[in-house]
Amino acid sequence: MKKFTCVDDIGPLDEAVKEALEIKRDRFAFSHLGKNKTLLMIFFNSSLRTRLSTQKAAMNLGMNVMVLDVNQGAWKLETERGVVMDGDKAEHLLEAIPVMASYCDIIGVRSFAGLKDKAEDYEERVIEQFIKYSGKPVFSMEAATRHPLQSFADLITIEEYKTKKRPKVVMTWAPHPKALPQAVPNSFAEWMTKADVDFVITHPRGYELDEQFTRGATIEYDREKAFEGADFVYAKNWSAYADPNYGKVLSTDRDWTVDSRIMEKTNNAYFMHCLPVRRNMIVTDEVIESPRSIVIPEAANREISAQTVIKRLLESL
Ligand code: AN0
Ligand code: CP
């Protein structure tokens, strides 16, 4: 594997999950693989889980790790070609990328959608420039339109907790005060429509996602109906995708908060969320603290998804 930005990069999902579960059983079995190899993690945005789990994954593989927070202590980077750089950005990505690449063997990039220019976001201009100009294997730590390390960890978690061959997985929009990217729901939909699950998405009208990610999923606007018989409930907020409202918050309707009443419609479903989560906006204290909440093991599996991906990238060097 030479890059990891979307589900197609990982090949057959059953094999990827099998490899991940083997790694989980003995996470130091490949500690020779990363000897004298360096991972550079570049963050354009904040992170708790991705930063720690990816660093831990690389350390399990025997790698050295460097972390750069672009917005804290590094020069501000221009990402568009052709601009006259007379503003606050002191350096261009076109120099910064090959320079950074010269110090490492593998690069992880986190660069969220700006939510202002849909074309710019959906062309994935930042991570695509890393792929094009670094000459190194690049993986996404959440880019503008996808968060594949999260979706991979979500799939591993569903595999571990499911009690039937083809569980019903419901992804529900939930309210949040600020505009968030579509990357997590896009990516989750992209993985779930390829996995062996019955996948349903529910959201208020106006929150339709890009069809390239949701094709094959059932879209059910009736939230109560969507939750019926669910084995897993995956909550997430996202801002509007459709024009003319791209990147906007259309509703903060707390009728969509996941609470015990709506969870009663399900088949005693497990509750999932990628975190960070705003309690009593996305989900009530009661549901997230219930024995059916698996948000912590889900987050713990981020180490495993990252290790599987970095292992495959190391094997390609
Ligand atoms: C981010 C998002 O929704 O994409 C990161 C989630 C992993 N969430 C926030 O910014 C709160
Ligand atoms: N789920 C996730 O990616 O969390 P962080 O934003 O804290 O990395």
Side-chain angles (χ1 to χ4, degrees), residues 199-211:
F199 184 51
V200 178
I201 305 173
T202 185
H203 54 71
R205 287 190 192 272
Y207 278 105
E208 291 75 14
L209 294 163
D210 184 346
E211 271 181 34

PDB file of all heavy atoms in Angstrom, residues 199-211:
ATOM      1  N   PHE A 199     -27.103  -1.025   6.219  1.00  0.00           N
ATOM      2  CA  PHE A 199     -26.705   0.337   6.595  1.00  0.00           C
ATOM      3  C   PHE A 199     -27.792   1.358   6.286  1.00  0.00           C
ATOM      4  O   PHE A 199     -28.232   1.486   5.135  1.00  0.00           O
ATOM      5  CB  PHE A 199     -25.397   0.700   5.868  1.00  0.00           C
ATOM      6  CG  PHE A 199     -24.843   2.051   6.247  1.00  0.00           C
ATOM      7  CD1 PHE A 199     -24.664   2.395   7.586  1.00  0.00           C
ATOM      8  CD2 PHE A 199     -24.490   2.967   5.273  1.00  0.00           C
ATOM      9  CE1 PHE A 199     -24.155   3.640   7.938  1.00  0.00           C
ATOM     10  CE2 PHE A 199     -23.972   4.205   5.616  1.00  0.00           C
ATOM     11  CZ  PHE A 199     -23.806   4.535   6.956  1.00  0.00           C
ATOM     12  N   VAL A 200     -28.197   2.087   7.325  1.00  0.00           N
ATOM     13  CA  VAL A 200     -29.263   3.095   7.202  1.00  0.00           C
ATOM     14  C   VAL A 200     -28.717   4.433   7.698  1.00  0.00           C
ATOM     15  O   VAL A 200     -28.026   4.485   8.726  1.00  0.00           O
ATOM     16  CB  VAL A 200     -30.495   2.679   8.036  1.00  0.00           C
ATOM     17  CG1 VAL A 200     -31.588   3.743   7.969  1.00  0.00           C
ATOM     18  CG2 VAL A 200     -31.043   1.330   7.560  1.00  0.00           C
ATOM     19  N   ILE A 201     -29.032   5.497   6.960  1.00  0.00           N
ATOM     20  CA  ILE A 201     -28.637   6.847   7.383  1.00  0.00           C
ATOM     21  C   ILE A 201     -29.907   7.644   7.649  1.00  0.00           C
ATOM     22  O   ILE A 201     -30.846   7.604   6.842  1.00  0.00           O
ATOM     23  CB  ILE A 201     -27.818   7.569   6.280  1.00  0.00           C
ATOM     24  CG1 ILE A 201     -26.608   6.732   5.860  1.00  0.00           C
ATOM     25  CG2 ILE A 201     -27.381   8.960   6.740  1.00  0.00           C
ATOM     26  CD1 ILE A 201     -25.848   7.311   4.655  1.00  0.00           C
ATOM     27  N   THR A 202     -29.935   8.363   8.772  1.00  0.00           N
ATOM     28  CA  THR A 202     -31.085   9.229   9.040  1.00  0.00           C
ATOM     29  C   THR A 202     -30.604  10.632   9.415  1.00  0.00           C
ATOM     30  O   THR A 202     -29.607  10.786  10.132  1.00  0.00           O
ATOM     31  CB  THR A 202     -32.008   8.621  10.126  1.00  0.00           C
ATOM     32  OG1 THR A 202     -33.165   9.462  10.257  1.00  0.00           O
ATOM     33  CG2 THR A 202     -31.339   8.478  11.484  1.00  0.00           C
ATOM     34  N   HIS A 203     -31.282  11.628   8.857  1.00  0.00           N
ATOM     35  CA  HIS A 203     -30.913  13.029   9.121  1.00  0.00           C
ATOM     36  C   HIS A 203     -32.094  13.920   8.745  1.00  0.00           C
ATOM     37  O   HIS A 203     -32.962  13.503   7.965  1.00  0.00           O
ATOM     38  CB  HIS A 203     -29.660  13.426   8.322  1.00  0.00           C
ATOM     39  CG  HIS A 203     -29.761  13.168   6.854  1.00  0.00           C
ATOM     40  ND1 HIS A 203     -30.573  13.912   6.019  1.00  0.00           N
ATOM     41  CD2 HIS A 203     -29.175  12.240   6.055  1.00  0.00           C
ATOM     42  CE1 HIS A 203     -30.461  13.455   4.776  1.00  0.00           C
ATOM     43  NE2 HIS A 203     -29.629  12.424   4.768  1.00  0.00           N
ATOM     44  N   PRO A 204     -32.122  15.152   9.252  1.00  0.00           N
ATOM     45  CA  PRO A 204     -33.170  16.072   8.814  1.00  0.00           C
ATOM     46  C   PRO A 204     -32.972  16.413   7.335  1.00  0.00           C
ATOM     47  O   PRO A 204     -31.851  16.316   6.825  1.00  0.00           O
ATOM     48  CB  PRO A 204     -32.936  17.318   9.677  1.00  0.00           C
ATOM     49  CG  PRO A 204     -32.030  16.901  10.783  1.00  0.00           C
ATOM     50  CD  PRO A 204     -31.216  15.764  10.252  1.00  0.00           C
ATOM     51  N   ARG A 205     -34.053  16.807   6.662  1.00  0.00           N
ATOM     52  CA  ARG A 205     -33.923  17.222   5.252  1.00  0.00           C
ATOM     53  C   ARG A 205     -32.955  18.391   5.157  1.00  0.00           C
ATOM     54  O   ARG A 205     -32.913  19.246   6.042  1.00  0.00           O
ATOM     55  CB  ARG A 205     -35.296  17.596   4.690  1.00  0.00           C
ATOM     56  CG  ARG A 205     -36.110  16.353   4.471  1.00  0.00           C
ATOM     57  CD  ARG A 205     -37.389  16.570   3.703  1.00  0.00           C
ATOM     58  NE  ARG A 205     -38.187  15.348   3.835  1.00  0.00           N
ATOM     59  CZ  ARG A 205     -38.097  14.298   3.011  1.00  0.00           C
ATOM     60  NH1 ARG A 205     -37.286  14.331   1.968  1.00  0.00           N
ATOM     61  NH2 ARG A 205     -38.822  13.210   3.227  1.00  0.00           N
ATOM     62  N   GLY A 206     -32.156  18.414   4.120  1.00  0.00           N
ATOM     63  CA  GLY A 206     -31.160  19.465   3.932  1.00  0.00           C
ATOM     64  C   GLY A 206     -29.749  18.995   4.302  1.00  0.00           C
ATOM     65  O   GLY A 206     -28.767  19.630   3.947  1.00  0.00           O
ATOM     66  N   TYR A 207     -29.677  17.863   5.023  1.00  0.00           N
ATOM     67  CA  TYR A 207     -28.370  17.341   5.445  1.00  0.00           C
ATOM     68  C   TYR A 207     -27.892  16.161   4.587  1.00  0.00           C
ATOM     69  O   TYR A 207     -27.016  15.401   5.008  1.00  0.00           O
ATOM     70  CB  TYR A 207     -28.398  16.946   6.923  1.00  0.00           C
ATOM     71  CG  TYR A 207     -28.206  18.147   7.831  1.00  0.00           C
ATOM     72  CD1 TYR A 207     -29.272  18.699   8.531  1.00  0.00           C
ATOM     73  CD2 TYR A 207     -26.951  18.747   7.957  1.00  0.00           C
ATOM     74  CE1 TYR A 207     -29.092  19.804   9.347  1.00  0.00           C
ATOM     75  CE2 TYR A 207     -26.770  19.854   8.774  1.00  0.00           C
ATOM     76  CZ  TYR A 207     -27.840  20.381   9.469  1.00  0.00           C
ATOM     77  OH  TYR A 207     -27.647  21.472  10.269  1.00  0.00           O
ATOM     78  N   GLU A 208     -28.431  16.041   3.364  1.00  0.00           N
ATOM     79  CA  GLU A 208     -28.007  14.968   2.469  1.00  0.00           C
ATOM     80  C   GLU A 208     -26.501  15.075   2.211  1.00  0.00           C
ATOM     81  O   GLU A 208     -25.972  16.163   1.983  1.00  0.00           O
ATOM     82  CB  GLU A 208     -28.756  15.067   1.125  1.00  0.00           C
ATOM     83  CG  GLU A 208     -30.228  14.748   1.207  1.00  0.00           C
ATOM     84  CD  GLU A 208     -31.090  15.849   1.837  1.00  0.00           C
ATOM     85  OE1 GLU A 208     -30.607  16.988   1.976  1.00  0.00           O
ATOM     86  OE2 GLU A 208     -32.249  15.548   2.201  1.00  0.00           O
ATOM     87  N   LEU A 209     -25.838  13.943   2.249  1.00  0.00           N
ATOM     88  CA  LEU A 209     -24.389  13.889   1.979  1.00  0.00           C
ATOM     89  C   LEU A 209     -24.152  13.678   0.491  1.00  0.00           C
ATOM     90  O   LEU A 209     -25.078  13.347  -0.264  1.00  0.00           O
ATOM     91  CB  LEU A 209     -23.752  12.752   2.781  1.00  0.00           C
ATOM     92  CG  LEU A 209     -23.774  12.927   4.299  1.00  0.00           C
ATOM     93  CD1 LEU A 209     -23.514  11.584   4.997  1.00  0.00           C
ATOM     94  CD2 LEU A 209     -22.747  13.965   4.751  1.00  0.00           C
ATOM     95  N   ASP A 210     -22.918  13.833   0.056  1.00  0.00           N
ATOM     96  CA  ASP A 210     -22.533  13.583  -1.336  1.00  0.00           C
ATOM     97  C   ASP A 210     -22.838  12.117  -1.680  1.00  0.00           C
ATOM     98  O   ASP A 210     -22.390  11.201  -0.976  1.00  0.00           O
ATOM     99  CB  ASP A 210     -21.027  13.862  -1.461  1.00  0.00           C
ATOM    100  CG  ASP A 210     -20.531  13.734  -2.890  1.00  0.00           C
ATOM    101  OD1 ASP A 210     -21.257  13.184  -3.748  1.00  0.00           O
ATOM    102  OD2 ASP A 210     -19.394  14.174  -3.138  1.00  0.00           O
ATOM    103  N   GLU A 211     -23.573  11.927  -2.765  1.00  0.00           N
ATOM    104  CA  GLU A 211     -24.006  10.571  -3.148  1.00  0.00           C
ATOM    105  C   GLU A 211     -22.849   9.613  -3.434  1.00  0.00           C
ATOM    106  O   GLU A 211     -23.020   8.401  -3.351  1.00  0.00           O
ATOM    107  CB  GLU A 211     -24.884  10.635  -4.397  1.00  0.00           C
ATOM    108  CG  GLU A 211     -26.350  10.808  -4.079  1.00  0.00           C
ATOM    109  CD  GLU A 211     -27.187  10.851  -5.329  1.00  0.00           C
ATOM    110  OE1 GLU A 211     -26.838  10.165  -6.314  1.00  0.00           O
ATOM    111  OE2 GLU A 211     -28.164  11.607  -5.321  1.00  0.00           O
TER     112      GLU A 211
END
